[in-house]
Amino acid sequence: MKTRILGAVMGIAALSGLLVASPAQARDGVSSVRIDPSGGYGGGYVRTTVDFTSRTRVVFRNFTVRDICPGDNVPVRARLHWIHTDRTDGRSAWMSDTNGCGDDGTNFGTSIRTGTKSISKIRLELCSTYCDVSAYRFNQYAHPGY
């Protein structure tokens, strides 16, 4: 009886360990950055869903840039930044909110980054009166078990 209970507890513990992801395992999912308005100057927000589909391809879904305004005429812009496994990097073109101070921002839809080099990780860059970046998302195809 004790052996059976111990076996069941060990089995549940093993399965629980497989289902819990640590914060260091930021793979596919939503990435975002926010700059809060301060001192009368504008802020902004960028959000996208990251989907790594292979070592060399990543899909960005619903890439949205939003200007958070106090009516300051300060534009907000965002772009993608990727780093290859050979440590070289690249960036997309800047994308800006064209809806002014609207609640929805500008949705640029889906874009795909693909090439011949393996993509190690990506992050978002957002600039208004100053710049900030998101946490990196790592490509599980380039870093198995990461």
Side-chain angles (χ1 to χ4, degrees):
M1 177 77 161
K2 286 182 183 180
T3 306
R4 217 184 251 167
I5 293 172
L6 181 60
V9 169
M10 294 300 283
I12 291 170
L15 286 174
S16 296
L18 292 173
L19 298 176
V20 176
S22 70
Q25 293 176 325
R27 295 182 187 178
D28 295 344
V30 175
S31 286
S32 64
V33 180
R34 180 184 178 95
I35 296 176
D36 290 318
S38 63
Y41 293 104
Y45 179 75
V46 61
R47 175 187 166 122
T48 190
T49 301
V50 178
D51 183 14
F52 291 103
T53 59
S54 73
R55 292 176 57 87
T56 59
R57 186 174 187 262
V58 59
V59 179
F60 302 96
R61 300 181 199 293
N62 294 317
F63 188 92
T64 303
V65 182
R66 180 174 169 234
D67 197 351
I68 302 172
C69 312
D72 59 4
N73 294 322
V74 176
V76 64
R77 59 191 180 144
R79 67 181 173 183
L80 303 162
H81 177 212
W82 56 88
I83 299 188
H84 298 283
T85 54
D86 68 1
R87 297 194 176 114
T88 59
D89 69 341
R91 290 173 172 84
S92 70
W94 287 107
M95 292 170 260
S96 299
D97 182 5
T98 57
N99 289 331
C101 294
D103 289 338
D104 295 331
T106 301
N107 186 327
F108 292 90
T110 298
S111 65
I112 299 170
R113 168 67 188 146
T114 188
T116 57
K117 291 184 177 182
S118 291
I119 300 166
S120 175
K121 55 190 174 182
I122 67 95
R123 70 179 178 186
L124 300 173
E125 297 177 351
L126 176 69
C127 294
S128 181
T129 52
Y130 63 93
C131 297
D132 201 357
V133 295
S134 71
Y136 279 110
R137 289 216 170 261
F138 292 86
N139 186 344
Q140 68 268 24
Y141 297 98
H143 302 284
Y146 199 90

